[in-house]
Amino acid sequence: MEKQDSALRVVVGVDGSPSSHAALRWAVRHAELIGGDVVAVAAWELPGAHGWSAPAVDPGFDKSIAEQGLVNQLNEVLGESGAAKVRQRLMHGNPVEVLLSEAEGAEALVVGSRGLGGFRRALLGSVSQQCALYATCPVVIVRPTVDVRDSGTQAE
């Protein structure tokens, strides 16, 4: 299923945050309604690698562990049978650039309102904000549903 395929695609960014898990659930429900496919995209990049001309190597990064982490997240959020219906893409690069590229020609790009990085007080994460500004398809930004009794914090 490439970007050029005629099947309806819903691309969703997954980074392990509660917000991205809510986005994943939303993307799956939406894809079921429109008869489309879901592509879960996780991006990784080396810290501070932007603007560096030499090949950057992160000795602590293991792609197979990262791929298994993505599989585990999908299984945790959707169950094994639900996760089996989702195409998984682990891409090297800036998360915004990866998501925008993967979402070209998609029915929608779905992202969480806040990922694992950034400032706690930010109303909207930098990745979701950039995706909303520059995507060539509709963008859905999903806020997590948090049970304040369990977490001791307010839903963001």
Side-chain angles (χ1 to χ4, degrees):
M1 174 178 57
E2 294 300 317
K3 292 178 211 174
Q4 294 80 13
D5 285 354
S6 60
L8 301 175
R9 285 182 308 114
V10 177
V11 176
V12 58
V14 180
D15 70 358
S17 68
S19 190
S20 77
H21 290 174
L24 177 59
R25 286 188 292 272
W26 194 98
V28 167
R29 285 191 305 266
H30 182 67
E32 288 171 353
L33 289 172
I34 65 169
D37 298 319
V38 176
V39 181
V41 178
W44 64 276
E45 94 177 319
L46 300 172
H50 257 356
W52 181 252
S53 60
V57 176
D58 182 357
F61 181 79
D62 184 324
K63 187 172 181 179
S64 62
I65 291 174
E67 288 170 339
Q68 186 59 50
L70 179 57
V71 169
N72 292 345
Q73 280 185 68
L74 297 181
N75 287 337
E76 175 187 329
V77 175
L78 304 174
E80 283 187 39
S81 62
K85 299 175 186 173
V86 175
R87 182 171 176 210
Q88 303 158 26
R89 305 259 305 151
L90 176 65
M91 307 287 296
H92 176 256
N94 175 280
V96 173
E97 293 170 5
V98 166
L99 288 169
L100 292 176
S101 175
E102 287 296 311
E104 287 180 20
E107 281 297 302
L109 170 59
V110 185
V111 293
S113 60
R114 280 188 18 84
L116 291 176
F119 297 100
R120 248 347 245 155
R121 295 177 195 216
L123 296 176
L124 189 63
S126 61
V127 171
S128 56
Q129 185 176 33
Q130 293 299 304
C131 287
L133 288 171
Y134 298 108
T136 58
C137 66
V139 176
V140 178
I141 300 173
V142 180
R143 295 171 56 86
T145 40
V146 177
D147 185 345
V148 293
R149 294 171 291 169
D150 293 337
S151 67
T153 62
Q154 295 282 328
E156 295 184 35

